[in-house]
Amino acid sequence: MIRLGIIGTGGMANHHATQYSTMQDVKMTACCDISSERRTAYAEKWHIPHIYADYRDMLEKEQLDGVVNVTPDAMHADISIAVLQKRIPIFCEKPLASNLDNAKRMLDAARRASVPNMVNFSYRNSSGLQAAVEVIRAGTLGQLRHVESSYLQSWLVSHGWGDWRSMPSMLWRLSTQHGSAGVLGDIGVHIYDMTSFLCGDIDTIQCSLRTFDKGEPENRIGEYVLDANDSFVSTVSFCNGGLGTVHASRWAIGQANSLRARVYGDQGAIEIDLDRSYDEYRICKGIVNIDKFKWETVKAAPTPSNYERFVTAIKTGRNDASDFANGVKIQAYLHYSIEADKRGCTVKVEL
Ligand SMILES: NC(=O)c1ccc[n+]([C@@H]2O[C@H](COP(=O)([O-])OP(=O)(O)OC[C@H]3O[C@@H](n4cnc5c(N)ncnc54)[C@H](O)[C@@H]3O)[C@@H](O)[C@H]2O)c1
């Protein structure tokens, strides 16, 4: 039996629990939150026997095979490092940290502990994406030439997710003082991961970040100053020579939560559109199809979820591809996007 401890019992922790509770050989044996109301309700809902207010206490007293860190971004570093110092496998929510220095400290701790370490980039749960990555790595598209990838939401201009003006869960995402790195940190992290998973490492970034006027007096609502970026566009070059655009926005009317990537090589092209399907990709390859602009839809075989892959990593002791080293790389893309916007020029990604 794999014994898991959950740190942070808010919204996303319930999604984790939904997954682990269906696995026969996994048991959530302990949970921890600084909010007594939330930790008690969570333990009751998911039948977790041991409840803690302090994660250090939990790590001291429990025999755990793995820990899931679902606390807000600013707490990821200290908590994950404490877990790794106990040599316990860790599954940390995205983004790995709130800045590049902390992300690197976390990777150092993971290397010293030499236990599985993983970051939850949720869209890797898509079997269509996993299959498309395999096809590209097999060389089917030839040399990478051009990429366009985007993550589009519309909650600043739609009531489809509720009215952001009265929702603290949305308002903190618009305020740097509340720890937000804007749309870049919130969903840019996912689209950068998806793009580099498909196309390989990014070498240089040029990025423009924008914070548009939301029509609020003094650009604030109560304690929330609305200063975090809400749209970004990056031009990137890949280490393999390809060129691409990566962008995200909260102003994209008609889009609820749309992730899409189109990858063009000199022998074929692939499209992933997670709005349309999680378990399909489209491909255009072969001289006949290329000349007729014909795309085929391919249904992918099921692949394990991130949650299943974390449990497998615990059992085998082998790290997953979505490890802290990859988390640092994505954190570096965020870091250099901000640098590029500040400096107004193209910057090289240094890991
Ligand atoms: N992978 C995804 O697609 C995805 C989706 C949503 C959220 N997330 C990530 O999950 C994390 C949590 O987000 P959320 O939406 O669940 O937030 P949340 O605010 O609903 O929950 C966070 C919980 O952590 C608790 N907490 C804070 N400090 C703590 C500490 N020191 N020790 C123990 N508990 C502590 C809070 O009291 C709260 O209950 C964030 O990093 C977020 O970016 C990821």
Side-chain angles (χ1 to χ4, degrees):
M1 181 64 66
I2 300 290
R3 297 156 297 183
L4 293 183
I6 314 291
I7 306 180
T9 59
M12 190 60 189
N14 279 287
H15 185 68
H16 278 266
T18 307
Q19 302 292 319
Y20 306 128
S21 61
T22 64
M23 299 180 196
Q24 299 273 316
D25 52 353
V26 174
K27 191 161 171 45
M28 291 177 281
T29 52
C31 68
C32 165
D33 202 295
I34 49 173
S35 152
S36 88
E37 202 184 310
R38 274 195 290 270
R39 65 179 179 256
T40 309
Y42 188 83
E44 263 175 33
K45 182 174 177 187
W46 298 106
H47 313 292
I48 299 173
H50 304 135
I51 312 172
Y52 294 88
D54 188 323
Y55 67 89
R56 285 161 286 227
D57 208 14
M58 181 179 103
L59 296 178
E60 211 49 61
K61 294 191 178 138
E62 294 291 320
Q63 292 292 314
L64 296 169
D65 301 303
V67 166
V68 184
N69 183 357
V70 208
T71 56
D73 308 358
M75 280 97 206
H76 288 183
D78 286 352
I79 292 176
S80 298
I81 289 170
V83 172
L84 287 164
Q85 282 169 345
K86 293 274 177 197
R87 305 205 61 232
I88 302 172
I90 175 90
F91 190 19
C92 184
E93 262 308 333
K94 65 80 200 168
L96 182 54
S98 46
N99 60 55
L100 185 54
D101 284 346
N102 277 347
K104 286 181 174 172
R105 286 202 299 125
M106 294 167 82
L107 178 57
D108 281 348
R111 286 191 169 140
R112 270 196 298 276
S114 193
V115 293
N117 47 89
M118 203 174 148
V119 187
N120 192 21
F121 289 116
S122 313
Y123 299 100
R124 289 189 180 222
N125 289 320
S126 155
S127 56
L129 174 64
Q130 295 282 347
V133 167
E134 292 301 313
V135 170
I136 293 172
R137 288 188 186 165
T140 310
L141 306 190
Q143 288 293 315
L144 182 75
R145 292 291 190 239
H146 192 87
V147 179
E148 50 167 334
S149 56
S150 58
Y151 190 163
L152 300 173
Q153 299 181 333
S154 57
W155 54 266
L156 285 173
V157 259
S158 158
H159 291 98
W161 298 29
D163 184 356
W164 62 268
R165 291 175 176 81
S166 59
M167 296 169 72
S169 62
M170 297 306 208
L171 285 166
W172 77 259
R173 291 178 148 84
L174 299 168
S175 165
T176 57
Q177 278 172 342
H178 289 75
S180 175
V183 76
L184 180 71
D186 191 19
I187 63 174
V189 71
H190 284 300
I191 197 64
Y192 267 131
D193 181 64
M194 185 163 139
T195 306
S196 58
F197 190 35
L198 282 162
C199 305
D201 291 353
I202 292 172
D203 184 35
T204 67
I205 299 181
Q206 195 220 338
C207 177
S208 294
L209 301 168
R210 285 285 184 288
T211 310
F212 290 102
D213 181 20
K214 297 168 188 68
E216 297 302 316
E218 294 175 33
N219 196 36
R220 67 186 302 150
I221 293 181
E223 66 183 275
Y224 301 95
V225 178
L226 309 175
D227 61 344
N229 62 81
D230 41 52
S231 206
F232 85 88
V233 178
S234 292
T235 305
V236 303
S237 58
F238 295 89
C239 295
N240 56 27
L243 185 67
T245 59
V246 182
H247 63 102
S249 183
R250 295 165 171 163
W251 293 97
I253 285 181
Q255 308 292 351
N257 194 50
S258 166
L259 283 97
R260 191 176 75 169
R262 287 169 166 172
V263 181
Y264 302 95
D266 61 0
Q267 291 169 35
I270 269 191
E271 181 189 72
I272 291 286
D273 183 344
L274 297 189
D275 253 6
R276 203 175 48 224
S277 169
Y278 251 58
D279 58 7
E280 288 173 355
Y281 62 86
R282 294 203 320 142
I283 188 161
C284 178
K285 71 174 166 66
I287 194 73
V288 175
N289 283 353
I290 290 173
D291 287 349
K292 290 188 172 161
F293 319 108
K294 189 167 170 235
W295 292 74
E296 288 167 356
T297 301
V298 181
K299 186 112 181 152
T303 48
S305 68
N306 289 357
Y307 312 93
E308 290 166 325
R309 295 206 321 268
F310 177 54
V311 171
T312 301
I314 294 174
K315 286 179 185 166
T316 61
R318 279 200 300 275
N319 229 353
D320 188 80
S322 183
D323 62 2
F324 277 20
N326 181 69
V328 167
K329 189 175 75 182
I330 305 304
Q331 197 84 44
Y333 299 157
L334 302 186
H335 175 87
Y336 288 106
S337 297
I338 294 166
E339 277 300 300
D341 176 66
K342 265 195 216 148
R343 290 198 237 152
C345 63
T346 301
V347 297
K348 186 158 173 60
V349 174
E350 311 270 4
L351 289 176

